[in-house]
Each structure stands twice: as C-alpha cells, then as structure tokens.
C-alpha cells in the first residue's frame, strides 16, 4: 500500500511539473510575439512593458523565467494584474472559490441521488417502458449543451414563467453568500444545480444501469437469489454495492474536472462569480496573469483530485494495489 | 470480433448448422456487424436524421442566395422586409419602456426570409444556422479524425513496443488528461487571438477553423489512446498472438494482421461517439468566443449571439441549441448501435462534460 502511495505521489508531482511547463511554454515562449506585451494587456505604456520585462525576467534564460513564474504562483503569491493596476491575482481566486464549490457540490449531491435513482429504477424494470423511457431521457440529457440548457432555464424561470406561482420565488441572477443568508443562497443556487446535474444524471444513470445488469449475471448474485433473498435486497445490498466502485471512480474524476474549470459554462450563464467566470472575464479583458494563475491552480486541483480517487480506489478494491 | 479468429470461424462447431442443412461459409465479422447494425431500427433512424441534417446544412449557400436572398455574414441594420403585404423594419426601435434600444424582427415562419427572425445585427438567423451547421459538423468530423489518428498511433506504439516508448507516451497522456479542457483552450486562444502560429510547414492564422479543430482533436487524445493501449496490451498476451509468435511470424506482420484489425473496430466504435463529444465541445468553445471567430458562424456562436436577446427574441438562442441537441442525440444513438454491432462487450462511456 505504501509503495502504491509513493509511486502515485511521484507520478502526481511529475504530471504537475509537466502541466506547469506546458502552461509556461504557451504563455511565455510562443514564437511570434512579445510575452511582456501579452502580460501587460492592451495599450500598455513603455514603462509598464519595461517593468513587466524585468519582473518576469524576460531578458534572462528560459529556465530562470520558468522559476520566476513558479515562484510568483507558489511561493510568494504576489502575481499582480497589470490590466487592473496592482490588483493581486491570488486573493481574487481565493474569493471566487466558494462560489465554484457551492455550485459543484450542490450539483454533485443532486446528480448522485438522481443518477442512483435512475440507474436503480431502470435496472429493476429492465426492458420495460419505464427503463426505455429513462434511458432515452438520459441520452437527451447527455446531448444538450449545458450552457444552452442554462439559457433555457433562465428564459423559463427569469422571464416567461417568472410571474407565475411556479417560479416567482427565483431570485435575480448572481451569487448570495451562504453565511449571510442560507435560504437566499439555496434559492439562487437551485436552478444552476439542476442545470449542471442533468447531464450527469443521464450519464451516471446509464453507467449504473449497465453495471447493475452486468452484476446480475455474476455468481454471487445467483447465490444470493438461491438463498431466497428478496429481489429488493439483492439489488440494494449486493448488486448496487459492487456497482458503486465504478460510480465512485467516475464521480471523483468528474468532480475534480468540474471544480478545475469544467463548471465555467454554468457559472457564465448564471452570472456566478466563481473561478470559471473570473477566468472568462479575464479572457474578455485580456488580463493574462489571472488566466495564468487559474489555469495552474485548477489543473493542479484536478491532478490532486485524480490522486485521491486512485488512492480511494486502491482502498476500496485491494486488487488494484498490486498493479 | 477478433479478425484472426475468422479464419477458423467456419470450422467452429458452435457455428455449424446443427440440422445439417446446406452449409454456407460463415460471414466475416464485418458483414455480421453490418447486418446487425442495419437491423437496429433506432440506429438506422438516427443515421437517417443525421444525414438529413447534413444535407440540409449543405444547402446553406443555395438557401441564402436563391431563397432568402440575404447575405448572412454582414449586418443589415437598415433593411426592410415585406410580410403579408406589410413592410417591416428588420431592426425596429423598441416600443416598450422608454423606447430606447431596438429589437430585431421575430420569426416570420416563412422560408422567403427571416424564418427564425434576425439577430441584433439584422442577419437572417436561419441562414446563419445552416452555415453554422456546416462549420459545426466540419469541426466535429475533422477533430475526430485528428484525435483518432493520434490516439491510434500513440496507443498502438505504447502498447505494442512497451518500454521507453510506453513510459514516455503514458506520461504525456497523463499530463494532457489532467489539463482542464476549457482552460487549455482559453490559454491557447488568448495567445493566438491576434497572431498566427507556425508549426513547421503548417501555418494557422488567427480565426482559422483549424485552431478549434486542433484544440478539440488533441485534448481528447488520451480519452481514446488509453483504451487502445490497454487493448493492444491484452491482445499481445492473447493466445492467437502467442501462437503467431511461437510460429515465428515476424512482429511487423503480427502488428498488421493480428493487432491492427482489432484496433480498427475499436476506432470505428469511437467515431460517432467522439463526433458527438467534439460537437458539444466545439459549441461550448464557440459560446465562450474562443472557437469559431466572427464573421464565421457555428451553432455555438449563434447561441452566444442570442444571449442578449434571450428574453426578447429567444428563438435566436433556442434554435441552434435544439439543432446541437438533436444532432448529438442522433450521433449517440447511432454510436450505441455501432458499438452493440461491433463490440458488445465493451463498456465505453458516451457523452462527456
């Protein structure tokens, strides 16, 4: 177990290094244009350009530039924006993180409940109209772009049906902090959660159904059946338990990917000032340091999440450890 | 099914006709799969709808110039159109509220022009949707080809040759795999937004469609390359390959005759599923204005154009979204059918984020 842990740790550090090198090359070493002009943003004065050049060491060798970039990001945390003069980048990211976490955690709770519900219902009624209907609905959910679904939700809840009893409770777009008023927070987040979760309910429902049906063919299910256990008990206590291993792995990967930038589209559509929206706004204003920081932190988060998933997998399933 | 098993399939006692009727040689795996696919009603219906969408979009320039008589790439703020004998402005000043701003014309539901209304530039949304569909379909297909090509080469190399090649390729795949796709695309496009890039003989200009094609194609390479590497590894240890090795068959022949035909079926299973995934990704990138660049259109950019008009003229954003959902749905259903026909045991995950 310790061996696996150490090996995976080394792998994780290597992947993080690789990502930081790629990001460095994209931002600072693409041929054709001056990186200091890119960092400084639009209409920068010669003094600012000179300051940027000195600050990031663009007159020095590439490995020094790489070291300076990583130092600003991971040691001194003093990366500053030149677009909004003097604005520190990392506090901005820290401020945006709770919004992204609220969105993704709430959505995740919905999609886990929904995915297990759909998967169980479809597997239990295999071949029936319910099963087929759920699977078609799931496929439709997978096929809709999430930002479009969010727009449709906005159209329904903010405009067309906002004056009816159904959606008059929906507050205007924007984030309300959880600690200030939990109830307002819940009301603003509910529609974004649903929009985010629909894709994954479809996806997880289909995956779980397939793996439950596969489990049904296994010997231990036949044993359980011959012992005279009820179908409900077999499904919940035996088949579901093994099927959840795949489910948990997928969940960890998707959760990591969503926090690390995947929820960007939902944040943009619903005007939630999370990490994704911050990055998107910086794209619009060409504020490169913000993008640099959020790309590095988000991808490091994804790598870390994948590491946790792998370790959880090794604990859940001892066969993996030997690999 | 494994291609190398086909030569003995005819002698397989399980496949022989038990009644002893006239024995025909067993059909090959491709023919079997094809027959199974053709009898899959859902898959065939999906394929039909998909082909209709492609044909419809390919009439884009004919429709714009001969039916609607518009040019959907330049703004038309002063234009007028006659509907049922009444002349209407395409961009009308708002009558509600303070009378500030303006509202583009809504859907006329007449194919002679502005079938789905106009966007805030006064451009015909339906004509733009046809053009945009062509771009969306083209990007989805081209990036699928690129992705599968890279994935096949890398996956087979890593799996078949192992050693240093495997270690290097697998680590690179790990890095790309961990990269959040939208953030990678944002980083690339902010750098390339105003300048062109030269990679050897290839020149990609800013705003070129090849930029989203390459971004989408490359970020999903690990998604396909990993299963292929795994498949090649398990094929290498399967009995028919070990038998070939034992018979002294040279390894390039094993690669061509035993490994690649099996990998080919996996790749074919991936084609419609990756197209669906790429299409959703393309629309998302274009929605974030880092995919297809104006004045070109794609279904994603039209949804973006419709954001400001969402509450007044919702059709601008609704229609292209429905087009994406229907197209992706047909690709997913057809992809399910192809997978069931070619490789019923595989557990590929469809859809994506």
């Amino acid at each position: 177990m310790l061996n696996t842990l150490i090996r995976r740790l080394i792998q994780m550090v290597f992947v993080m290094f690789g990502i930081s090198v790629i990001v460095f090359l994209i931002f600072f070493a693409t041929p054709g244009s001056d990186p200091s002009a890119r960092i400084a943003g639009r209409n920068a004065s010669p003094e600012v350009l000179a300051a940027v050049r000195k600050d990031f060491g663009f007159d020095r060798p590439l490995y020094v530039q790489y070291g300076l970039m990583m130092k600003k990001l991971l040691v001194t945390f003093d990366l500053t924006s030149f677009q909004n003069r003097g604005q520190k980048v990392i506090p901005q990211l820290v401020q945006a993180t709770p919004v992204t976490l609220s969105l993704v955690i709430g959505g995740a709770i919905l999609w886990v409940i929904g995915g297990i519900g759909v998967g169980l219902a479809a597997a239990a009624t295999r071949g029936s109209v319910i099963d087929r209907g759920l699977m078609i609905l799931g496929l439709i959910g997978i096929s809709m772009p999430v930002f479009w679904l969010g727009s449709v939700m906005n159209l329904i809840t903010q405009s067309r049906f906002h004056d009816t009893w159904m959606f008059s409770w929906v507050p205007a777009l924007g984030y309300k902090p959880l600690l200030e008023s939990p109830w307002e927070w819940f009301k603003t987040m509910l529609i974004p959660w649903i929009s985010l979760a629909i894709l994954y309910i479809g996806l997880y429902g289909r995956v779980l159904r397939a793996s439950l049906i596969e489990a049904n063919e296994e010997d231990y299910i036949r044993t359980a059946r011959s012992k005279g256990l009820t179908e409900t008990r077999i499904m919940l206590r035996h088949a579901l338990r093994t099927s959840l291993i795949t489910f948990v792995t997928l969940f960890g990967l998707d959760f990591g990917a969503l926090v690390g930038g995947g929820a960007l589209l939902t944040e943009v559509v619903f005007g939630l000032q999370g990490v994704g929206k911050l990055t998107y706004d910086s794209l619009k204003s060409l504020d490169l340091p913000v993008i640099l920081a959020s790309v590095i932190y988000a991808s490091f988060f994804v790598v870390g999440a994948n590491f946790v998933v792998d370790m959880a997998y090794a604990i859940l399933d001892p066969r993996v450890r030997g690999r | 099914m494994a291609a190398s098993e086909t030569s003995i399939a005819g002698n397989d006692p399980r496949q022989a006709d038990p009644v002893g009727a006239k024995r025909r040689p067993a059909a090959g795996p491709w023919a079997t799969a094809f027959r199974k696919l053709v009898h899959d009603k859902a898959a065939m219906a999906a394929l039909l709808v998909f082909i209709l969408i492609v044909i419809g979009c390919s009439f884009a320039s004919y429709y714009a110039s001969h039916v609607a008589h518009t040019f959907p790439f330049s703004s038309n703020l002063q234009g007028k159109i006659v509907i049922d004998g009444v002349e209407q402005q395409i961009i009308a000043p708002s009558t509600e509220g303070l009378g500030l701003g303006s509202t583009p014309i809504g859907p006329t539901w007449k194919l002679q022009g502005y079938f789905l209304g106009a966007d805030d530039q006064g451009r015909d949304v339906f004509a733009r949707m046809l053009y945009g569909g062509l771009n969306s379909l083209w990007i989805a297909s081209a990036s699928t080809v690129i992705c599968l090509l890279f994935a096949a080469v890398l996956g087979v190399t890593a799996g078949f040759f192992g050693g240093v090649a495997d270690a290097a390729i697998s680590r690179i795949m790990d890095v790309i795999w961990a990269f959040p796709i939208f953030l990678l695309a944002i980083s690339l496009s902010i750098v390339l937004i105003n300048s062109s890039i030269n990679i050897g003989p290839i020149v990609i200009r800013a705003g070129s469609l090849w930029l989203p094609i390459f971004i989408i194609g490359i970020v999903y390479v690990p998604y396909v390359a990993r299963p292929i590497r795994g498949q090649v590894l398990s094929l290498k240890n399967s009995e028919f390959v070990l038998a070939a090795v034992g018979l002294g068959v040279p390894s390039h022949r094993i690669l061509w005759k035993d490994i690649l035909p099996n990998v080919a079926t996996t790749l074919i299973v991936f084609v419609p599923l990756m197209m669906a995934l790429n299409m959703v990704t393309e629309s998302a990138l274009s929605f974030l204005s880092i995919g297809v660049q104006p004045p070109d259109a794609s279904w994603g950019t039209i949804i973006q154009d419709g954001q400001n008009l969402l509450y007044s003229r919702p059709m601008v954003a609704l229609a292209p979204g429905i087009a994406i959902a229907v197209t992706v749905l047909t690709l997913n259903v057809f992809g399910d059918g192809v997978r069931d026909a070619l490789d019923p045991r595989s557990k590929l995950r469809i859809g994506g984020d």
Side-chain angles (χ1 to χ4, degrees):
Chain A
M1 189 67 206
L2 192 67
N3 252 338
T4 323
L5 183 79
I6 292 171
R7 221 187 37 214
R8 287 290 296 132
L9 261 177
I10 295 173
Q11 224 175 49
M12 180 176 82
V13 171
F14 176 84
V15 171
M16 285 178 172
F17 174 72
I19 286 175
S20 66
V21 168
I22 291 182
V23 173
F24 170 75
L25 290 177
I26 290 176
F27 281 105
F28 298 114
T30 14
S33 69
D34 179 14
S36 49
R38 226 180 273 142
I39 302 260
R42 265 183 227 134
N43 308 325
S45 64
E47 295 85 56
V48 174
L49 283 180
V52 171
R53 205 167 290 136
K54 187 169 168 296
D55 205 21
F56 285 84
F58 287 138
D59 44 2
R60 293 158 76 184
L62 278 180
Y63 64 89
V64 179
Q65 296 179 23
Y66 173 79
L68 277 174
M69 177 187 95
M70 294 310 279
K71 193 180 123 202
K72 281 177 190 304
L73 280 168
L74 300 176
V75 182
T76 53
F77 302 111
D78 63 349
L79 194 67
T80 42
S81 160
F82 290 90
Q83 196 72 32
N84 303 316
R85 187 67 55 83
Q87 177 91 278
K88 286 259 190 298
V89 168
I90 285 148
Q92 265 181 296
L93 281 174
V94 172
Q95 222 177 1
T97 308
V99 184
T100 302
L101 285 179
S102 304
L103 174 64
V104 178
I105 292 174
I109 293 171
L110 276 187
W111 96 58
V112 166
I113 297 172
I116 292 180
V118 168
L120 278 177
T125 59
R126 186 182 176 187
S128 72
V129 185
I130 299 175
D131 176 27
R132 224 167 291 147
L134 281 174
M135 285 305 102
I136 290 171
L137 281 179
L139 210 50
I140 292 175
I142 294 170
S143 303
M144 287 185 296
V146 64
F147 58 93
W148 178 76
L149 181 67
S151 298
V152 174
M153 289 281 197
N154 276 341
L155 179 66
I156 293 171
T157 61
Q158 297 282 344
S159 167
R160 291 298 186 266
F161 293 95
H162 187 64
D163 299 330
T164 64
W165 55 270
M166 264 191 298
F167 296 113
S168 53
W169 55 268
V170 181
L173 295 182
Y175 180 71
K176 310 263 184 343
L178 168 66
L179 295 177
E180 268 173 36
S181 70
W183 177 233
E184 282 298 309
W185 172 81
F186 181 79
K187 284 199 294 187
T188 39
M189 295 306 290
L190 189 60
I191 300 289
W193 285 339
I194 294 172
S195 312
L196 183 67
I198 282 180
L199 161 73
Y200 293 98
I201 292 177
L203 210 54
Y204 282 52
R206 287 175 69 86
V207 170
L208 187 63
R209 172 186 179 271
S211 112
L212 282 173
I213 284 173
E214 199 187 323
N216 243 335
E217 315 284 311
E218 301 273 348
D219 290 342
Y220 66 88
I221 297 292
R222 204 179 45 200
T223 312
R225 207 162 270 142
S226 57
K227 281 199 308 192
L229 297 183
T230 61
E231 281 298 314
T232 325
R233 199 180 157 85
I234 292 171
M235 181 70 100
L236 293 180
R237 293 293 295 273
H238 297 263
L240 182 62
R241 243 174 111 169
T242 24
S243 303
L244 278 182
I245 295 183
T246 344
F247 199 91
V248 168
T249 324
L250 281 182
F251 177 81
L253 295 177
D254 284 330
F255 185 84
L258 276 177
V259 175
L264 179 137
L265 294 162
T266 319
E267 286 175 12
V268 168
V269 169
F270 290 104
L272 301 166
Q273 284 294 340
V275 178
K277 180 76 161 46
L278 184 67
T279 316
Y280 177 70
D281 291 342
S282 311
L283 170 76
K284 295 270 151 180
S285 61
L286 294 178
D287 195 352
L288 210 104
V290 179
I291 299 180
L292 175 66
S294 75
V295 170
I296 290 277
Y297 283 118
S299 38
F300 279 17
F301 181 86
V302 173
V303 180
N306 290 359
F307 169 76
V308 173
V309 169
D310 274 2
M311 290 332 292
Y313 197 41
I315 293 165
L316 281 177
D317 190 346
R319 283 169 301 177
V320 182
R321 279 176 223 164
R323 276 203 325 229
Chain B
M1 287 298 134
S4 315
E5 287 165 7
T6 52
S7 51
I8 54 162
N11 301 328
D12 190 332
R14 282 168 300 174
Q15 300 217 347
D17 199 329
V19 195
K22 204 167 82 180
R23 273 179 78 161
R24 282 181 309 177
W30 293 106
T32 318
F34 183 73
R35 203 173 310 134
K36 202 169 164 195
L37 184 61
V38 170
H39 284 108
D40 186 340
K41 278 190 203 122
M44 283 300 111
L47 181 65
L48 184 71
V49 175
F50 180 73
I51 291 172
L52 286 177
I53 292 171
V54 175
I55 292 175
C57 287
S58 58
F59 276 104
S61 69
Y62 177 83
Y63 172 79
S65 55
H66 289 91
V67 184
H69 303 292
T70 61
F71 182 69
F73 295 105
S74 60
S75 56
N76 184 16
L77 301 174
Q78 308 299 329
K80 290 188 167 60
I81 183 177
V82 179
I83 302 163
D84 298 330
V86 184
E87 195 180 61
Q88 288 190 17
Q89 279 178 298
I90 287 168
I91 304 277
S94 287
T95 46
E96 292 164 28
L98 296 167
L100 299 170
S102 54
T103 314
I105 192 169
T108 60
W109 305 117
K110 289 181 171 55
L111 282 172
Q112 288 85 355
Y114 296 98
F115 181 70
L116 295 172
D119 62 13
D120 53 5
Q121 304 278 318
R123 299 173 295 195
D124 187 326
V125 171
F126 186 63
R128 274 179 78 74
M129 249 184 75
L130 296 181
Y131 276 106
L134 278 185
N135 277 342
S136 291
L137 289 165
W138 160 243
I139 293 177
S141 334
S143 56
T144 303
V145 171
I146 288 176
C147 176
L148 294 184
L149 212 64
F150 274 102
V153 171
L154 292 174
V156 170
T157 311
F160 192 72
F161 297 107
V164 184
D166 185 22
I169 291 172
S170 297
R171 288 297 85 76
I172 294 172
M173 291 296 113
D174 283 349
V175 171
I176 300 179
W177 179 261
F179 228 121
I181 167 168
F182 295 122
L183 299 185
L184 177 64
I186 285 180
S187 321
L188 279 174
S189 62
I190 197 170
V191 169
L192 302 173
I193 211 156
N194 293 318
S195 56
S196 56
I197 186 172
N198 304 299
I199 310 166
I202 309 165
V203 180
I204 301 174
R205 261 179 243 99
S208 157
L209 287 185
W210 285 103
L211 201 57
I213 288 175
F214 270 104
I215 293 176
I216 298 167
I218 286 170
V219 285
Y220 287 127
V221 165
Y223 200 88
V224 184
R226 283 182 163 186
I228 289 191
R229 173 181 170 270
Q231 192 194 9
V232 172
L233 272 181
S234 75
L235 281 172
K236 238 174 90 178
N237 296 320
S238 63
E239 297 199 337
F240 73 92
V241 170
L242 290 179
V245 173
L247 286 169
V249 179
S251 63
H252 63 88
R253 202 182 149 79
I254 293 177
L255 187 62
W256 276 107
K257 293 281 172 186
D258 296 331
I259 308 274
L260 288 184
N262 287 290
V263 171
T265 55
T266 315
L267 286 176
I268 288 172
V269 171
F270 265 113
V271 169
L273 302 178
M274 288 313 290
M275 267 186 79
L277 185 56
N278 290 348
M279 185 160 244
V280 174
T281 312
E282 180 275 324
S283 71
L285 291 180
S286 295
F287 175 76
L288 297 172
S289 62
I290 48 180
V292 175
Q293 298 298 323
D296 281 338
S298 86
W299 286 336
T301 63
I302 302 172
I303 297 179
Q304 169 66 36
D305 294 340
Q307 285 300 301
N308 294 330
L309 302 168
L310 188 59
Y311 300 149
S312 55
R313 293 287 178 232
M315 202 38 89
V316 182
L318 285 181
I322 293 169
I324 295 172
V326 170
T327 313
V328 172
L329 185 66
T330 59
L331 284 169
N332 277 334
V333 172
F334 181 66
D336 265 2
V338 172
R339 186 192 52 196
D340 289 344
L342 273 174
D343 190 6
R345 286 165 305 172
S346 84
K347 284 179 274 177
L348 295 179
R349 187 181 172 202
I350 65 157
D353 32 39

